[in-house]
Amino acid sequence: PIYWGASNVESYFNPNRFIHIKDIDDENMMNCIQKIHRLFENDDYFRSMTKQSIFKDNVDGEDFVENQIKCIVDEIRSILRV
C-alpha cells in the first residue's frame, strides 16, 4: 500500500510494509516512485515487502487493537477525570 496521512504512522505500523509519502517534495516523491517501480519490476522485493508484519515490532493485530482501545479509554477517563 501507499500511505499519505498522519506523520506518526510509523509509530504504529511497520514502515517496511508500505510506501509512506511523508512530504510532497521532489526528493520524497522520487523515492516513492522508485519504490513503486521496484515493486513492479522485482517479484522478490514485492514478496519480501508483503510478508513483513503489518504492525511495528511484530505486534499481534489483536494486541494492537486492544492496546489502542485501552489508550482511548484512558484518555477519555483523564478528560472526564473519572
Side-chain angles (χ1 to χ4, degrees):
I2 299 170
Y3 179 81
W4 179 33
S7 61
N8 66 341
V9 66
E10 293 180 10
S11 298
Y12 303 100
F13 295 97
N14 181 353
N16 297 317
R17 186 62 163 84
F18 61 97
I19 296 171
H20 185 189
I21 300 174
K22 297 177 183 181
D23 295 304
I24 302 183
D25 60 36
D26 290 344
E27 182 180 349
N28 189 24
M29 294 307 287
M30 279 306 296
N31 288 336
C32 292
I33 290 167
Q34 288 171 349
K35 283 184 180 180
I36 294 166
H37 186 266
R38 186 173 174 200
L39 286 168
F40 277 100
E41 297 294 320
N42 186 328
D43 290 340
D44 291 334
Y45 180 64
F46 176 83
R47 278 192 284 283
S48 72
M49 186 178 192
T50 58
K51 286 183 181 179
Q52 297 274 335
S53 171
I54 293 173
F55 297 101
K56 187 174 180 181
D57 302 325
N58 292 319
V59 172
D60 178 69
E62 289 182 24
D63 291 341
F64 176 81
V65 171
E66 184 176 318
N67 185 50
Q68 292 304 302
I69 290 171
K70 182 184 178 312
C71 288
I72 291 168
V73 169
D74 290 346
E75 184 67 22
I76 291 170
R77 285 184 176 151
S78 73
I79 291 169
L80 297 176
R81 294 182 176 89
V82 177

